[in-house]
C-alpha cells in the first residue's frame, strides 16, 4: 500500500469530527416528517440551546442575523458555549461578556478591550481560522464528510493553532490543506420567510445559512414572515433551507434589529453604534441591561425598547425591494 | 477633467492611489469595507464603469448605491444593488480558488518584509499578553488565492515590522517557494503596499521594495516610519496627488460622512509644493 | 511526520488532475471582462470544441440538454472526444456511433447493441463511475481542488476501474474514498435565459450545470432566450452561471428538442422514441442522416425536419409555468 | 376500500408490494423512473399523501402530476411539480450523505447473495465479451448512503446469482463489515428484495433470505428461478395481492400507457385460488 505524508498539523483542540455520529443523530432526532415547529423564542432556546453547546449563528448581529435569538440565549443565561465566530462584529463580545461563551473559533470578530481581557483572564479560549475556512468547515459538515481540502490558510500562524492539516495530495503530489468538518450542536439562523415546518427562504447574499442548517444537530430559525407551504411550493428554487433540517421556527419580525434585513428594513445606525460603542469601551453591562435583561421577550423589546416609530422608520428607509421576493 | 487637487488628506490620497490601479478588465475581491471597498467604489465612478468586484458575502459585480449606513457594506441591499449574481461566502472562495480573482485589495494592521499580514494580535500571542484584534476575516482567502494582492496601511514604524507578530494571512511567508510548500497556488502573492506616504513592490527575493513616494514626504521620512530598511527601487516614482474629480466623488458620494476618510493629516499646495498643512 | 495509508486505488486512466494548470488557464483565457459572446452554433463549436477534447454536456439529449450543440458537434465531425457520460440516454450512443467519441466516463448511459459492439471492437474505452461520482468530480473541478472525499463508490467493481482512491481519513482513522477532480476541456450547457455576456439562468432542477461551467476550460451556452443584463441584475439570485466562465452564447430556441425544457416546452414523445429506437436497434445511420446531416444548422433543422406545427404543439403541451421565471 | 384484486399482472403486483412499505414519516430516494418511482407515486395517492421523496435531479418532495411523457420522470415540470425544493444532483447526494434518506428504492439487472447490484455488464467484463448495460447511474449513491435499500427485480435464474458479474452498486459486498472497510457509512445497506413472486430480507450474516412468497407461486417455483439457494426464514409470509383501489390508481393515473407495467404474466383468481392466467 502506498503512503501519503501528513506534512504539518495544527495543534489546537477542535470539535470532534464524527460524520457517523451525525448521521445517526439525523436518523434518530431530525424531523423527517413534515411537522409544525412554530414556537416562541423562549421555548425554542430553552429546548434546543444547551450549556456547553457548539453554537453557530449565520450572518451577524448587524446583518440579517438572529439578533433576537442571541438576546434570548443571553436572557436564558446559557453557559460554556463554543462559538463559530465568523463574519462577526459584536455577537461574540456580547456572548462572552454576558458569560455565555468561553471558546471561539475565529473567523473575524469585533475586538476591543474585552477580548484581550477575556483571553488574559482565561475566560475565553480562542482557536484561529478565517471566515472562509470556517464556512468551509461548515460545508464539510453539511456534506456529511469528515474534511474538505482547501488551497488557503497554509503557512499562517493560525494554521498552527487550528485543527487543520497539511498533507501530500495523492493526485498531484503537492502539499494541500485539509480542514476538519464541523457539525455544530445548534445553529440559529434568521431568514426572510419560512413555513411552519421550516422550509425557508433567504433572499440576497448570505454567509453560510444553508451550510449551517444542513450541518447542525439542532436548528432554530427565526423568520420575518411565516408563509404557507403552498407559497413555498410555488417557487421551489427559492427554498434555501429544507424543513427536515429544522427543529424550531420562531416568528420574529425585526428579528435582526439593530441590523438590516435586506429588502425588508434598514439597519438602525444609532442601535449599531450603541453596540459598537459598548464593545470598544469594553463594557456591555449597560447595553445588556437595556437591550436584553430589561425585557422578557423580543415582542416586549420591540414594544418597550425600540418602539413603533423606530420600526416604521427603518422599514421605510429600506427602499429596495428588487430581488428580495419570490 | 483631471485637475490636481490642492487640498486633501492622507486617507483620501491613498484611496485615490489604489483606485487608479483598478481596471474594467480584471476581477477584484475587495475587503468588505473601509479603504479597500472605497477604492473600488471610486474607480467604478471615475474611470472603470464596468468594474466587477466580489466581497465576502458572495456578491458578484454589484452596482452599489452609495453612501452606506455604518458597517452596511455587505449583506446589504445598497451595497449589493443590481449585482450580476448573489451567492454566499463559499461561492466567493470557489471563484478565488479557480483563479478568477486577478487582484485582492486589503488593509492590514501590520505588514512585514515578506508582505505577511497581521490582523490578529500585536505583541506576544500566548497568554493574551498582546493586544488582540479581530482575526483574518476574509483576508486569508484573498491573500492566498488572488493572483496579486494590494495592501493598504499607514506609514508607521509599528505597522512596518521585520516579522509580523502573527501571520494572519499569507504574504510570501519565509520567502521564495514558501507559499507553494504550504499548499498555496503558485504565482500568487503580495504585489503592492500603499500607504499615504509611499508605494512598495517586491523584489525577486520576495522582499518589500520602496518604489514610490508622495510629493509631500521625503524618502528619509518614509524610512523613519519603518522598523526595517526595505529594498530600494533603482528609481523612485513620485506619486500623483488626487484629482479634484476624484475628491468630489469620494467626498460627495462615497464617504459623505467621512467614516473612512476622516482620519490622517491634511496636505495642501503651498508655493507650488505639496506639504502637510500642519507643517 | 505522520503518515496516512492509501488502502486501495483504482487502476484506470483519468483526465490529468491539474488545478494549477486550470488556474493558469482561467487567468490567461477566460474572459474576465464583460464582452459579448453571441455567435451561432457553427462558429461556437468550430472555435471551442476540438478533436481529442474531454467534453461535458449537462443534462441530456431529452432533458434540457444541449441537443442542438450535440448535433452540431456531430455535423462538424469532431473526433476522439472523451465524454462525461452522466445521466444520459442517447447522447453517448450518438457521439460514439457518429465516430466523434472514443472514451466515456460512466455515469449512466443508454445502452443497447451499439455499446457492447463498440467496446468489443475497441472503438470505445469505458471508465466506470456513477452519476453522482461524476458530478462530484465536476464539483471538485469547480472548486479548484484536486479531489473531494465521498462516502459512496467504495467496494464496487467500478472503483477498481476508476481513478478513485480509498485512503485512511486523518481525522477519523476510517477508510474514505477520494474522487479526482475533472476540469473538462469543453462544456456544452443549455439554459433558459442568458445575456450576451453569458450570465445565465437555469430554472428548476438540474444535474450539474453550475459545476460544469465553473470546472470547464471552454464553455458554450445555448439558450432559449437572450435577455438583457439589466434583467439579469433585476434578480441576481437567479444567476446560475456567471459570464466570466462562458466563451460562447448561442441563441437556440428549442435547442433541447426532442427533449423538454421545463416551463418552456414539452418533449416530443415521437422524437424521443425515434432516437431510443435507433439506439436499441443499434443503428443510428438513418437517425443521423435525418436529424443531423440533412440540414446545415439548428434553424434549418427546426424549419425543415421538425416543423412549426410540432414546435407549436410541444410549446402548448407545456402548461406549467410556475417556478420557471424570474 | 381495500378489495383484493382478482386480475392483475406481475409488475402491478410487485409495485403494490413495495408501495405498501412507503410511509409519510420517512424520506425516500427513489430510482428516477420505472417501478421504483411508480411505488412512490402510488403510495402518495393511496395511503401516504405527505410522502417525501428525492430523485437524482435534486427534487425534494414534489407533488408530481401524472402521467408523464416517455422518460420524462426527472428535470421535468410534471414530475417535479410543486416540490418543496429544487436543486441538483450533488445536493441530493449531500442529503443522502447526511443520513436523511431512510429508504432507497431501486431496481436491478442482477442481485447476488450479499445483495450486490449489477447494472453494468452480464458475462465477462473484460474485452467487452459480456453484454454491456448502462452503469450504476444514481443507484451507487443510494445503495451506499440510504439507511435501508429496497431492490426490485424479476424472479429469474439469471437475475439471482451467487456473485454478480459486476458490482455496480454496493450490497453487503463480501459480507459483514465489508461496507465499512470500503469507506461506506455503518448500519446501512440492503434491506429487502422484491420480485413478483417473492420477498427477501437478509440474515445476520448479510445473506439473502427468502421471507415471503406470492399466493400464485410455490417455494419450489421461486427457488427454481434462483442460481443459488437463499437462506430461508423460519416462517414464510404469503404476500397480499394488489387491491382494486391500488390497481385503479396505477392503471388510470400513474401508468396509463402501460410503459412500466405492461410486461410480465397475468394472474387471476380462479376457484378461490390465485394462479397464472396462462396456466
Amino acid at each position: 500500500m502506498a503512503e501519503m505524508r501528513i506534512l504539518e498539523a495544527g495543534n489546537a483542540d477542535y470539535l470532534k469530527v464524527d460524520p457517523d455520529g451525525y448521521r445517526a443523530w439525523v436518523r434518530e432526532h431530525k424531523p423527517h416528517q413534515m411537522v409544525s415547529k412554530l414556537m416562541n423564542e423562549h421555548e425554542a432556546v430553552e429546548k434546543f440551546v444547551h450549556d456547553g453547546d457548539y453554537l453557530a449563528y449565520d450572518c451577524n448581529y448587524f446583518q440579517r442575523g438572529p439578533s433576537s435569538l442571541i438576546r434570548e440565549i443571553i436572557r436564558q443565561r446559557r453557559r460554556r458555549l463554543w462559538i463559530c465566530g465568523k463574519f462577526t462584529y459584536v455577537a461574540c463580545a456580547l456572548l462572552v461578556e454576558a458569560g455565555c461563551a468561553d471558546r471561539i473559533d475565529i473567523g473575524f470578530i469585533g475586538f476591543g478591550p474585552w477580548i484581550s481581557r477575556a483571553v488574559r483572564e482565561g475566560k475565553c479560549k480562542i482557536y484561529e481560522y478565517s471566515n472562509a475556512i470556517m464556512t468551509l468547515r461548515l460545508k464539510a459538515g453539511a456534506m456529511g464528510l469528515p474534511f474538505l481540502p482547501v488551497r488557503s490558510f497554509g503557512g499562517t500562524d493560525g494554521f498552527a493553532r487550528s485543527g487543520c492539516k497539511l498533507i501530500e495530495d495523492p493526485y498531484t503530489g503537492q502539499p494541500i490543506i485539509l480542514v476538519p468538518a464541523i457539525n455544530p450542536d445548534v445553529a440559529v439562523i434568521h431568514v426572510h420567510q419560512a413555513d411552519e415546518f421550516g422550509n425557508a427562504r433567504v433572499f440576497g447574499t448570505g454567509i453560510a445559512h444553508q451550510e449551517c442548517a444542513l450541518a447542525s444537530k439542532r436548528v432554530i430559525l427565526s423568520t420575518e414572515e411565516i408563509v404557507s407551504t403552498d407559497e413555498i411550493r410555488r417557487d421551489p428554487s427559492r427554498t434555501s433551507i429544507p424543513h427536515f433540517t429544522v427543529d424550531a421556527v420562531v416568528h420574529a419580525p425585526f428579528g435582526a434589529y439593530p441590523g438590516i434585513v435586506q429588502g425588508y428594513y434598514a439597519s438602525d445606525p444609532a442601535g449599531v453604534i450603541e453596540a459598537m460603542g459598548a464593545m470598544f469601551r469594553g463594557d456591555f453591562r449597560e447595553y445588556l441591561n437595556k437591550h436584553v435583561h430589561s425585557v422578557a421577550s423580543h415582542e416586549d423589546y420591540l414594544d418597550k425598547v425600540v418602539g413603533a416609530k423606530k420600526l416604521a422608520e427603518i422599514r421605510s428607509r429600506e427602499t429596495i425591494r428588487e430581488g428580495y421576493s419570490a | 477633467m483631471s485637475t490636481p487637487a490642492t487640498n486633501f488628506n492622507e486617507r483620501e490620497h491613498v484611496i485615490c492611489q489604489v483606485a487608479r490601479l483598478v481596471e474594467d478588465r480584471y476581477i477584484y475581491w475587495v475587503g468588505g469595507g473601509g479603504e479597500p471597498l472605497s477604492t473600488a467604489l471610486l474607480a467604478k465612478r471615475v474611470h472603470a464603469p464596468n468594474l466587477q468586484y466580489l466581497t465576502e458575502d458572495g456578491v458578484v459585480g454589484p452596482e452599489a448605491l452609495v453612501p452606506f449606513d455604518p458597517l452596511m457594506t455587505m449583506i446589504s441591499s445598497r451595497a449589493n444593488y443590481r449585482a450580476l449574481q448573489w451567492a454566499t461566502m463559499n461561492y466567493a472562495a470557489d471563484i478565488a480558488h479557480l483563479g478568477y480573482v486577478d487582484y485582492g485589495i486589503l488593509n492590514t494592521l501590520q505588514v512585514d518584509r515578506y508582505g505577511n499580514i497581521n490582523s490578529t494580535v500585536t505583541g506576544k500571542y500566548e497568554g493574551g499578553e498582546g493586544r488582540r484584534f479581530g482575526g483574518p476575516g476574509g483576508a486569508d482567502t484573498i491573500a492566498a488565492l488572488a493572483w496579486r494582492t494590494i495592501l493598504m496601511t499607514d506609514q508607521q514604524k509599528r505597522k512596518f515590522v521585520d516579522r509580523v507578530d502573527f501571520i494572519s494571512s499569507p504574504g510570501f511567508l519565509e520567502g521564495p517557494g514558501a507559499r507553494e510548500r504550504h499548499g498555496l497556488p503558485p504565482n500568487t502573492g503580495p504585489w503592492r503596499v500603499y500607504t499615504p506616504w509611499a508605494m512598495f513592490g517586491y523584489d525577486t527575493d520576495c522582499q518589500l521594495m520602496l518604489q514610490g513616494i508622495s510629493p509631500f514626504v521625503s524618502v528619509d521620512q518614509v524610512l523613519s516610519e519603518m522598523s526595517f530598511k526595505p529594498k530600494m527601487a533603482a528609481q523612485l516614482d513620485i506619486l500623483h496627488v488626487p484629482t479634484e474629480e476624484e475628491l468630489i466623488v469620494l467626498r460627495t458620494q462615497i464617504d459623505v460622512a467621512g467614516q473612512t476618510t476622516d482620519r490622517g493629516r491634511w496636505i495642501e499646495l503651498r508655493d507650488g509644493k505639496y506639504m502637510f498643512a500642519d507643517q
Side-chain angles (χ1 to χ4, degrees), chain A, chain B:
Chain A
M1 289 306 160
E3 309 243 317
M4 311 160 47
R5 284 181 308 157
I6 297 176
L7 304 169
E8 283 181 52
N11 62 8
D13 295 336
Y14 52 92
L15 191 65
K16 184 170 185 287
V17 174
D18 182 17
D20 290 341
Y22 189 65
R23 278 181 59 91
W25 175 278
V26 163
R27 186 183 196 179
E28 291 308 311
H29 300 291
K30 286 284 191 179
H32 293 209
Q33 187 166 13
M34 302 257 277
V35 291
S36 180
K37 296 148 190 172
L38 281 177
M39 60 187 82
N40 65 36
E41 79 258 11
H42 180 85
E43 185 183 358
V45 168
E46 192 166 51
K47 273 191 178 160
F48 298 112
V49 184
H50 307 154
D51 290 354
D53 276 353
Y54 190 103
L55 170 75
Y57 46 79
D58 197 55
C59 290
N60 64 54
Y61 197 78
F62 296 147
Q63 286 151 311
R64 214 202 66 240
S67 305
S68 64
L69 293 174
I70 288 168
R71 288 185 289 262
E72 181 63 23
I73 288 166
I74 295 170
R75 206 175 283 123
Q76 292 192 28
R77 306 190 182 285
R78 286 292 172 279
R79 291 295 179 259
R80 303 189 317 282
L81 299 174
W82 186 346
I83 309 294
C84 181
K86 59 178 164 60
F87 197 74
T88 294
Y89 289 113
V90 297
C92 286
L94 278 167
L95 288 162
V96 169
E97 290 287 291
C100 302
D102 61 7
R103 284 157 296 173
I104 309 175
D105 287 340
I106 286 182
F108 178 84
I109 65 170
F111 45 92
W114 71 275
I115 182 168
S116 305
R117 186 176 59 219
V119 171
R120 198 163 46 245
E121 294 173 359
K123 272 173 53 187
C124 184
K125 175 97 182 86
I126 287 173
Y127 307 98
E128 310 291 348
Y129 298 92
S130 73
N131 281 344
I133 293 295
M134 290 308 298
T135 57
L136 191 69
R137 293 183 64 195
L138 289 164
K139 184 173 184 167
M143 292 172 75
L145 299 171
F147 61 82
L148 282 172
V150 69
R151 306 199 67 191
S152 62
F153 202 51
T156 64
D157 288 324
F159 171 87
R161 294 161 174 85
S162 76
C164 297
K165 299 177 191 293
L166 182 74
I167 69 157
E168 209 167 41
D169 168 10
Y171 286 99
T172 65
Q174 294 167 4
I176 189 159
I177 298 283
L178 302 184
V179 306
I182 304 185
N183 291 108
D185 296 301
V186 60
V188 289
I189 306 167
H190 189 64
V191 302
H192 288 79
Q193 300 179 332
D195 70 11
E196 63 181 313
F197 307 108
N199 295 297
R201 294 168 168 170
V202 167
F203 299 123
T205 63
I207 300 306
H209 44 274
Q210 190 180 66
E211 293 91 331
C212 281
L214 291 172
S216 300
K217 286 183 172 177
R218 298 174 237 117
V219 173
I220 303 174
L221 298 185
S222 56
T223 182
E224 290 293 327
E225 299 182 284
I226 300 289
V227 298
S228 69
T229 302
D230 274 354
E231 169 60 20
I232 294 289
R233 291 185 184 274
R234 196 179 56 73
D235 197 351
S237 297
R238 295 288 197 182
T239 304
S240 319
I241 294 171
H243 71 90
F244 44 76
T245 63
V246 176
D247 296 282
V249 177
V250 176
H251 186 206
F254 296 101
Y257 180 89
I260 185 174
V261 169
Q262 66 277 49
Y264 280 36
Y265 50 86
S267 65
D268 174 21
V272 167
I273 287 159
E274 187 181 359
M276 291 294 280
M279 182 172 69
F280 287 131
R281 279 199 315 281
D283 182 354
F284 274 100
R285 280 168 302 186
E286 196 183 317
Y287 187 89
L288 290 170
N289 287 334
K290 174 178 168 191
H291 293 275
V292 178
H293 300 305
S294 75
V295 290
S297 71
H298 179 58
E299 196 178 1
D300 210 14
Y301 175 66
L302 295 182
D303 181 37
K304 299 208 175 76
V305 180
V306 183
K309 185 157 167 300
K310 172 75 70 178
L311 299 180
E313 180 225 314
I314 60 176
R315 178 85 71 186
S316 66
R317 281 208 305 114
E318 175 54 291
T319 55
I320 299 169
R321 298 278 177 273
E322 197 176 76
Y324 300 108
S325 59
Chain B
M1 114 190 182
S2 70
T3 328
T6 58
N7 202 291
F8 51 89
N9 74 22
E10 291 182 313
R11 193 83 30 198
E12 293 172 332
H13 177 62
V14 73
I15 289 169
C16 293
Q17 295 301 319
V18 175
R20 290 198 201 113
L21 304 174
V22 173
E23 300 178 54
D24 270 349
R25 64 198 167 105
Y26 296 118
I27 294 172
Y28 297 79
W29 184 340
V30 297
E35 296 84 346
L37 182 55
S38 299
T39 64
L41 295 171
L42 179 59
K44 192 166 171 66
R45 281 155 186 74
V46 173
H47 65 270
N50 302 314
L51 170 63
Q52 302 165 73
Y53 62 88
L54 316 177
T55 57
E56 266 182 275
D57 59 338
V59 71
V60 178
E63 300 193 324
L65 290 180
V66 288
F68 307 140
D69 286 335
L71 304 185
M72 296 302 125
T73 59
M74 291 184 274
I75 325 266
S76 139
S77 51
R78 292 179 63 86
N80 293 348
Y81 188 59
R82 294 185 71 76
L84 293 171
Q85 188 173 26
W86 284 339
T88 61
M89 188 177 284
N90 282 322
Y91 181 80
D94 292 346
I95 297 302
H97 267 87
L98 291 167
Y100 281 105
V101 178
D102 298 289
Y103 292 88
I105 305 179
L106 297 170
N107 47 19
T108 181
L109 183 64
Q110 238 184 13
V111 59
D112 67 22
R113 133 181 346 266
Y114 288 111
N116 297 309
I117 299 169
N118 176 14
S119 45
T120 301
V121 66
T122 54
K124 193 160 172 300
Y125 176 86
E126 268 68 24
E129 287 176 38
R131 182 171 171 212
R132 175 85 210 196
F133 293 84
D140 163 61
T141 304
I142 301 169
L145 301 174
W147 288 105
R148 294 171 158 181
T149 303
I150 300 169
L151 270 187
M152 301 175 73
T153 189
D154 294 332
Q155 194 65 58
Q156 296 174 8
K157 246 187 158 53
R158 61 192 181 89
K159 289 183 176 292
F160 284 82
V161 295
D162 188 53
R163 169 65 157 87
V164 289
D165 296 323
F166 191 96
I167 300 180
S168 309
S169 303
F172 288 114
L173 302 171
E174 312 91 57
R179 287 172 63 94
E180 292 78 359
R181 284 195 300 277
H182 290 283
L184 310 186
N187 307 314
T188 56
W191 184 62
R192 294 280 184 274
V193 179
Y194 275 87
T195 74
W197 291 12
M199 183 266 281
F200 302 83
Y202 295 86
D203 71 1
T204 51
D205 295 334
C206 303
Q207 296 201 36
L208 203 70
M209 178 169 65
L210 181 62
Q211 293 188 328
I213 64 167
S214 296
F216 47 86
V217 293
S218 67
V219 172
D220 289 348
Q221 278 174 291
V222 171
L223 298 181
S224 71
E225 286 295 350
M226 298 178 71
S227 307
F228 64 94
K229 179 147 189 2
K231 303 290 183 81
M232 302 294 286
Q235 289 204 327
L236 289 186
D237 301 338
I238 302 301
L239 304 177
H240 295 288
V241 299
T243 67
E244 291 295 349
E245 182 193 20
E246 289 167 336
L247 290 179
I248 288 164
V249 173
L250 193 54
R251 293 169 181 176
T252 64
Q253 296 179 43
I254 295 169
D255 194 38
V256 176
Q259 291 159 15
T260 304
T261 57
D262 206 354
R263 288 178 294 142
R265 295 166 69 182
W266 282 78
I267 294 98
E268 62 187 17
L269 183 65
R270 206 188 295 159
D271 321 327
K273 285 181 76 291
Y274 285 97
M275 52 186 61
F276 288 108
D278 56 22
Q279 187 168 292

